[in-house]
Amino acid sequence: QVQLVESGGGLVQPGGSLRLSCAASGSIFSINAMGWYRQAPGKQRELVATIHSGGNTNYADSVKGRFTISMDNAKNTVFLQMNSLKPEDTAVYYCNADFLLRAGVRVVDYWGQGTQVTVSS
């Protein structure tokens, strides 16, 4: 069994900061990439940021310069540092992983349960 567990969400004022984390556990041999996506009420899920194990990152235009994604390869954990938060950042944030199982099977899309981020005065 593989599990992705997100944490770090909560309520924050505009301009504030939060750090999300997502820990992958289970029969994982290696992780190729991890990422963060978000979904606001009534809207489609959208990409926030991704990071490959080699260090390459990409970000949605709406979060560039404000959010930073990073990975601890030894702990199979991805982080999202969110600064200068805006009300429009309010959403459920989901962790995603692309990994290789110890059994030799590639899993391209695996999702966590999500963590709520609310930005409000």
Side-chain angles (χ1 to χ4, degrees):
Q1 288 283 342
V2 173
Q3 188 175 18
L4 301 180
V5 180
E6 300 104 327
S7 63
L11 175 65
V12 66
Q13 294 180 327
S17 298
L18 285 174
R19 190 178 80 149
L20 306 183
S21 64
C22 174
S25 62
S27 301
I28 297 172
F29 178 75
S30 63
I31 292 179
N32 181 58
M34 298 184 76
W36 290 96
Y37 296 72
R38 67 187 182 187
Q39 187 167 24
K43 297 184 178 180
Q44 295 182 337
R45 188 173 299 185
E46 64 178 358
L47 181 146
V48 177
T50 60
I51 183 168
H52 288 236
S53 60
N56 290 340
T57 60
N58 80 315
Y59 298 88
D61 288 341
S62 60
V63 307
K64 287 181 179 178
R66 300 189 297 121
F67 292 9
T68 302
I69 189 169
S70 61
M71 181 185 294
D72 184 335
N73 291 311
K75 297 182 178 180
N76 290 339
T77 301
V78 65
F79 303 93
L80 185 68
Q81 179 66 46
M82 304 186 294
N83 299 324
S84 302
L85 283 162
K86 304 175 181 179
E88 51 262 45
D89 294 318
T90 296
V92 177
Y93 284 69
Y94 296 91
C95 178
N96 175 267
D98 171 6
F99 56 88
L100 181 68
L101 294 170
R102 292 169 184 162
V105 178
R106 173 81 174 274
V107 179
V108 178
D109 288 300
Y110 200 85
W111 297 90
Q113 84 288 346
T115 184
Q116 177 71 47
V117 171
T118 302
V119 184
S120 179
S121 298

